[in-house]
Amino acid sequence: MKRLLPFLFLFTLLNTYAQQKPRKVILMIGDGMGLAQIYAGMTAKGGHLALERCPIIGLSKTNSADDYVTDSAAGATAFSIGQKTFNGAIGVDSTGKPVKTILEEAEAQGLATGLVATSSVTHATPAAFIAHQKSRKMEEEIALDFLKTPVDVFIGGGQKFFMKRKDGRNLIDSLKAKGYFVALSKEDLLKYRAPQPLAALLAENSLPRYSQGRGDLLKKAALIAIETLNRNPKGFFLMIEGSQIDWGGHNNDTQYIVEEMLDFDNTIEAVLDFAEKDGNTLVIITADHETGGFALVNGSLEKRTVEGKFITTEHTAEPVPVFAFGPGAEEFQGFYHNTEIYHKIKKLLLSH
């Protein structure tokens, strides 16, 4: 028996390690979400946010290959391909060469995949996971890239890049020919039933802000995506972006930031509830960069009010937090470059 003990210990250790590898990964990106944005939302919610449920916290260095201050395209591409690239780049390396993204790698291994955003689906962050273009401004070309990768679900805005194109093509017909259920309104989206692949383009460009008609659509879209992708027994990769936290920063609008933070956190809560019940899902919550140089100069937790000031209408270079929940979460503690998020996800999800 004594001779067996070392082997039993090794077996237990390896078994424990194997159990720490998730079959599903949900990457949630709060665009422009720095610590001040998080605490502004926390204040407005009376002192607590759902993301506090994450037991692991790290910090991400956000610089791009060609600039101390990244833009969203280079920041999201760092997450998607694991390499620093130049500002404006979508799914290409610093020389402009296309590189297979984590979403495309997941597809190649038979996992289900999805993208959800409150921007256009052709906007920098979602685009960086599925497209390969040298400029984020090439949104019609990015829309064409959606026809090249069989992503199972994508939900956001961007109708005009699929329907009102300079080349005269109507990509909606192409999506339908590929078997997609195409939703062009909230009402259409509610008619959708899995397992048919879903292409939901719910606005001509980006979705409206939370307080101007969007409501809890991000949360509903996230849950629809999860329900659909979860039908795949091999697992899934899903990216969910709270796109407009960034826009509140660009506008130097504290209220806009708070509204979008609360909406993003309500979505986080629903995602964490799923992950907790599921037991095989890793959730990573982070930002591509901070926007506005946002600082909290006054406020009240009791009154749920906050006063903010800004030093710029652009992005800043400060590191951003990374929160992780679920099997493999411990991989995300520490201080590392944003490119490591790709490598950590690949190690956990795609190296079984």
Side-chain angles (χ1 to χ4, degrees), residues 235-252:
F236 65 76
F237 171 81
L238 172 62
M239 192 286 296
I240 300 170
E241 185 193 28
S243 316
Q244 298 187 34
I245 301 166
D246 175 62
W247 303 352
H250 282 300
N251 289 353
N252 285 184

Side-chain angles (χ1 to χ4, degrees), residues 59-339:
L59 286 169
S60 168
K61 306 171 191 177
T62 64
N63 64 285
S64 65
D66 68 338
D67 204 312
Y68 188 63
V69 180
T70 193
D71 81 324
S72 292
T77 297
F79 297 150
S80 73
I81 71 170
Q83 297 183 46
K84 299 277 188 179
T85 192
F86 55 91
N87 282 354
I90 297 290
V92 299
D93 67 16
S94 59
T95 70
K97 178 184 176 183
V99 179
K100 187 176 276 192
T101 70
I102 191 74
L103 183 147
E104 291 170 317
E105 291 182 281
E107 277 285 349
Q109 290 198 20
L111 279 70
T113 58
L115 297 168
V116 176
T118 55
S119 64
S120 164
V121 296
T122 57
H123 203 259
T125 302
F129 287 86
I130 197 168
H132 305 279
Q133 302 294 339
K134 293 181 181 179
S135 174
R136 60 184 291 174
K137 295 178 182 178
M138 300 168 68
E139 291 192 71
E140 290 194 358
E141 291 82 356
I142 289 167
L144 277 171
D145 282 344
F146 274 82
L147 299 174
K148 299 174 184 176
T149 298
V151 59
D152 297 278
V153 174
F154 57 96
I155 306 173
Q159 291 173 9
K160 70 177 184 178
F161 303 111
F162 289 79
M163 300 168 66
K164 299 178 181 179
R165 300 168 52 83
K166 293 174 186 174
D167 62 11
R169 292 182 62 180
N170 186 341
L171 302 188
I172 299 301
D173 294 336
S174 301
L175 288 168
K176 288 180 178 178
K178 284 183 169 289
Y180 282 92
F181 178 95
V182 177
L184 299 177
S185 66
K186 292 181 186 178
E187 292 72 28
D188 286 347
L189 182 59
L190 295 177
K191 296 174 187 174
Y192 167 72
R193 295 293 179 269
Q196 186 178 4
L198 170 64
L201 303 167
L202 306 178
E204 183 155 324
N205 195 347
S206 295
L207 301 181
R209 62 188 276 186
Y210 175 82
S211 62
Q212 295 178 0
R214 192 180 79 238
D216 65 350
L217 181 59
L218 180 62
K219 176 181 173 180
K220 289 178 179 176
L223 291 174
I224 288 169
I226 289 169
E227 181 184 1
T228 303
L229 302 182
N230 200 38
R231 290 171 174 265
N232 187 323
K234 291 185 177 181
F236 65 76
F237 171 81
L238 172 62
M239 192 286 296
I240 300 170
E241 185 193 28
S243 316
Q244 298 187 34
I245 301 166
D246 175 62
W247 303 352
H250 282 300
N251 289 353
N252 285 184
D253 185 333
T254 300
Q255 185 58 35
Y256 195 172
I257 289 172
V258 168
E259 289 171 5
E260 296 296 331
M261 269 302 314
L262 293 179
D263 180 49
F264 188 50
D265 194 66
N266 287 337
T267 306
I268 289 169
E269 183 172 34
V271 169
L272 291 178
D273 285 346
F274 164 78
E276 189 170 55
K277 183 177 179 181
D278 179 71
N280 288 306
T281 301
L282 168 65
V283 182
I284 306 133
I285 306 158
T286 190
D288 44 3
H289 53 74
E290 192 277 340
T291 304
F294 186 43
L296 305 179
V297 296
N298 205 347
S300 168
L301 289 165
E302 291 74 25
K303 296 178 181 178
R304 303 191 177 194
T305 58
V306 62
E307 180 184 341
K309 290 191 176 180
F310 301 84
I311 60 170
T312 181
T313 58
E314 300 301 326
H315 302 166
T316 65
E318 67 180 53
V320 293
V322 183
F323 302 85
F325 179 99
E330 65 281 355
E331 289 282 340
F332 293 85
Q333 59 192 340
F335 206 152
Y336 42 82
H337 281 284
N338 50 8
T339 49

